[in-house]
Amino acid sequence: MTALLAGSIAVPTALSASTAQAAEACRSGIPTYVHDVSSESDGVLRKYLDWDPLTGNATGALLDTGETAPLERYSEFFTGGHGIIYVKTPEGALKTYKDNSATGGSMLTPVRNYGGNWNVYERMWSTGDNRIFALHQDGALEVYSVANPSSGSGAITKIRTVPSTDPAVVAIAQATDVWSAGPVVYTLKRGVPGKHGEVKAWRYSDGVWGLPFPNGSTTVITGISNETRGWSPGPGTIYTVGDSPDYTGIAWSYTGTAPMDVANPDVGAGIYGDVHADIASCLASPSPDVKPSFGPVPPETETPPQAVIDWLPDPAPQDPTQFSGKFVLGDGRPAAGLPVRVEAVDVTSDSTDEVQLVTLGTTVTAPDGTWTVPLPTALPESVKRAAANNGGIINAMASVNGETSSGHMMRGTHMMTAAPATAPATARALVAAAAEDDSEPSKMRPIIDDLRKEQAQPTVAQTNLSWASRDEQVSVDTLGDRPLPEYQSDTVREFQGDPYVVDGVDTKSLVVRPMDGGCDKTSEKVIDKQIKYTTVAEGHAYWDAKTTVDYDSKLSSSVEVAVKTGTRWTIEGSVTLGSAMSVTTGYANKGPFFAKQWRVPIEYKKIREKWTCNYGRDTFYRYKIMGSKYKVPSGGAVGKYGKDVSNRDGSVNYGNSPKKHRAWVPQGAHFQISKNRSIKWSGAVSAYGIKLGGSTQYDRDHRQRITAGNKKARHDIWGKNDKVDGKPGVFYSY
C-alpha cells in the first residue's frame, strides 16, 4: 500500500489517548481486518482501508483492498497497532505476524511464536500499543505488558489481574464484543427484544495503588439493535456491524464525544466476522485532493493510445426474425437428425387454466446439432397479442426429443426470442443481444420416472434454505458474471450432481435417435406467481464522483429461465421482457464512494408443463420458472437498491484492467453508456429458491452515467469487457 497521507493533528476528545500519544503524528488510511468465515472455505483474513477514520468516512466508505490471507476458521485474531497482527491458534498458541502487503509482501508475515496455552482466555484484545487484555475463563481480567510493541517480537509479561467482581470486568464478561483504542476499553451489548443495546467506554489506568477503571463507565452509543461487532481505528471513532439474519454485513460509523453521533449508516457492506483495526493513537483526515490507492498506480499521463489489433471480429448478430440454436448430447457431441418443435410461451394465461402452446415451426437438427426456424409470415392472434404486450418480442421454447438404444427417453429444451421485421428497432436490438447471452449449446437430458407424475411443490420455508435464497441475502455481489452452477436445488444449499445416470446406465454419451411416435405439443399451466426484485443496472462512482442509473419508461431486460428435471433445476435459455412500464425508476447523483445495483419488481411464474410421447402412451410433467412483467407489489417500492459492487472499483482493479479499456472523465464533466448490452449478472434474482441471471439493453431510457467532481486528481474509468465507447457491458470507477 502506498503512503497514506496524514492530515492535521486531531483535537483529543474526552475519551482520546494520553497526551504523549496524542503528540504523535495523526494517521488516516487505517488498515482494518475482517476474519471472514462466512463461506464454505476454511477461513480468510480480508484487508480493508479506513481512508478517513477521523470523520468515520462520513462521505466515504471502508475500501476493500483485495488483499487476503488464509486464516483458519477456528483461529482468533486481534491487532496490536504498527501493522502487527496477533493470532491465537485452535491449539492455544499465540503468534504474531507483520502486515507487509503494502510493500508487496504477505499480509501475515510470521514474526514470533509465543507458544503457551492461551486458550484459557475467552477473549483477548490490544490497546494498540504496549498493553494486551485477556479475559480468563475463571472471570478475571489479566493485563499484559508488551515490550517493543512495534516489532511484534518483544516479551509479553503479565503485570496485573483485575478480579471478576470489578464492574468493568463484569461488563466485559457480559459484553457481545470488546475492543480498545489506547487506554479506553469499549464494551458492546447487543439489543434484545424490547430493549436496545449500547456501547460503553471504560478508561483503564495502570496506577499501582489506584483502581484499574477509576472513573467507571460512560455510555457512548445507544440504540444498538442487531450490531454484534465493534472496533475503533483510534480515539473518537467507532464502527459497528451486525450478524443479523439477513447477512447484510452493513457497517455503521459513529464519531464525536459521548453520546456519539451516527456519521455514516452504510460505511461498508459485506463485513462478516470478527473485525479489528490497526489502532492509531490519533486520527486525521486525508488530503482532499488525493485519491485512495493500494500499491502502485499507473501515472496520469496522456500518451497516445497504442494500436490494438482485434484478431477475432465480433460475431454476426442473429437475424431477429428467426429462431436458431444447437442441441448436443450430455457429453457435448452434436444431437443430429432429431425433430425440433418451436412453441410460443407468452400465450400462457395468467389464470390457472391449462393452455396448449402455439407451434411456430418445426425442423430437424443438422449433423452438427444446429437448427433454424423462421418466424411465420402470418402469426396467430394469441401470439400477436402476447408480442404487443411485450414490446414486439416473441418468447418461445424449442424442444427436441429422442431415445437411446437402451430405451431411455431424452429431451432438450431452450428458451429464446424473435421479433417480426415490423417490430420496433429496440425490440430487434433486444433479440440480437439476448442471442449473444444464450449462444451456448443446449444439452439433452434424460426423462426420468419422476416426470411421469405431478410433484408436490416446496414451501416458502423450504425454499428459504436453498443456496440461491441464502446468496440473495448477502449484501455484496460475489457472483458477478461468473457462470451459475449447472444444477441447483430449490430446498438445500448443496449443488446437485450429474443427472445422466439412470437405472445404473450413464446416458450422456449414448447416441440419441428419433422416438417412435414422437412427442406432441406442450401444454402449460401457471401454478404460482411471485414478485421478485431483479437486478437491471448498476452504477459506479469512486472518490468524489457521482453516479446515475436510469431505468425508465419500459422494460428492456432478458432473464434466464430455470427448468426442473427430477430434483435438479438448470438454466435453459432466457426470455426477453420488453413490456411497457408506467413509472420511472433508478437513482441519481449517488456518491462519492458509491457502487450499487438497481433492482425492479418483476413477476415470476412457476409453470407446470405437460406433454405426451409414444402415440400418447407416455405423459410427462416438468416445471419451469420464468419472468413475465414489471409489477409493483401492493404498497411496495417501484425499485430498490441491490447488492454492493464497490469491490470492482479502486486503484487495484484499475491497475489490473486492460489498457485499451481505460478512459478518464474531465472535472465536472460526465460520461454515460446508452447503447449495446450490459453485463450479464449471474445473480440477478432468486425466484422460488433458484438463482437466475439477467442483463439489460442500454438505450435512451436505460443508462449508466458518471459525473466527475471538481477535485484535482483525474477521474479514471474503464470498461469491463471492452473500451468504454465499444461494448463494455459496464464501466468501473477510480
Side-chain angles (χ1 to χ4, degrees), residues 697-711:
Q697 180 72 14
Y698 292 120
D699 53 40
R700 65 182 183 180
D701 299 311
H702 309 91
R703 296 166 291 190
Q704 178 195 354
R705 177 180 177 130
I706 188 171
T707 302
N710 293 308
K711 292 184 178 180

Side-chain angles (χ1 to χ4, degrees), residues 408-411 444-448 451 499-502 507 565:
H408 291 97
M409 287 184 285
M410 309 290 286
R411 180 177 173 91
M444 298 190 72
R445 297 179 171 87
I447 298 176
I448 59 178
L451 273 66
Y500 285 94
V501 177
V502 182
T507 63
T565 300

Side-chain angles (χ1 to χ4, degrees), residues 16-168:
S16 61
S18 65
T19 303
Q21 291 171 322
E24 299 173 7
C26 296
R27 292 171 57 197
S28 63
I30 305 294
T32 303
Y33 307 92
V34 180
H35 187 198
D36 186 350
V37 296
S38 63
S39 67
E40 301 299 329
S41 65
D42 196 39
V44 64
L45 190 68
R46 303 187 184 279
K47 181 176 180 178
Y48 292 77
L49 183 66
D50 189 345
W51 182 244
D52 187 8
L54 181 63
T55 71
N57 291 281
T59 59
L62 295 170
L63 307 175
D64 188 347
T65 69
E67 294 281 356
T68 62
L71 183 59
E72 204 273 340
R73 67 168 49 238
Y74 297 108
S75 293
E76 299 175 23
F77 92 103
F78 59 95
T79 53
H82 316 282
I84 301 301
I85 298 173
Y86 292 82
V87 173
K88 186 174 72 171
T89 70
E91 296 75 27
L94 184 65
K95 300 180 179 180
T96 53
Y97 298 84
K98 179 76 171 180
D99 179 5
N100 289 326
S101 60
T103 55
S106 170
M107 198 166 75
L108 289 176
T109 303
V111 177
R112 180 171 175 176
N113 184 350
Y114 288 91
N117 181 23
W118 298 85
N119 276 339
V120 297
Y121 298 112
E122 293 186 356
R123 54 179 29 144
M124 298 179 66
W125 71 98
S126 165
T127 61
D129 44 47
N130 61 352
R131 292 291 181 268
I132 291 176
F133 294 106
L135 182 67
H136 200 280
Q137 291 174 348
D138 66 9
L141 181 69
E142 297 185 344
V143 184
Y144 286 85
S145 173
V146 181
N148 193 15
S150 62
S151 70
S153 61
I156 298 178
T157 307
K158 183 162 63 175
I159 61 171
R160 188 172 196 169
T161 298
V162 184
S164 60
T165 55
D166 186 277

Side-chain angles (χ1 to χ4, degrees), residues 354-442:
E354 184 126 11
V355 176
Q356 189 174 66
L357 300 186
V358 175
T359 298
L360 298 174
T362 60
T363 189
V364 175
T365 56
D368 63 353
T370 60
W371 60 271
T372 299
V373 170
L375 265 179
T377 304
L379 292 171
E381 287 302 316
S382 60
V383 178
K384 285 183 181 178
R385 288 194 300 270
N389 292 329
N390 198 37
I393 298 167
I394 298 169
N395 290 310
M397 177 180 70
S399 60
V400 61
N401 298 280
E403 62 182 357
T404 68
S405 57
S406 58
H408 291 97
M409 287 184 285
M410 309 290 286
R411 180 177 173 91
T413 60
H414 196 74
M415 310 298 297
M416 58 195 56
T417 61
T422 56
T426 52
R428 298 195 302 273
L430 271 168
V431 169
E436 293 182 23
D437 283 351
D438 299 327
S439 59
E440 291 296 316
S442 308

Side-chain angles (χ1 to χ4, degrees), residues 272-349:
Y272 312 111
D274 199 12
V275 188
H276 294 278
D278 189 49
I279 311 165
S281 60
C282 180
L283 301 177
S285 288
S287 170
D289 286 318
V290 176
K291 287 194 292 187
S293 60
F294 326 129
V297 179
E300 293 186 355
T301 57
E302 295 186 45
T303 56
Q306 296 179 341
V308 177
I309 300 176
D310 292 323
W311 294 103
L312 295 176
D314 289 338
Q318 175 184 318
D319 181 350
T321 65
Q322 66 182 24
F323 301 100
S324 63
K326 181 178 181 179
F327 283 110
V328 297
L329 306 179
D331 62 0
R333 290 183 298 134
L338 299 175
V340 178
R341 182 190 298 272
V342 178
E343 299 169 293
V345 296
D346 284 337
V347 299
T348 304
S349 172

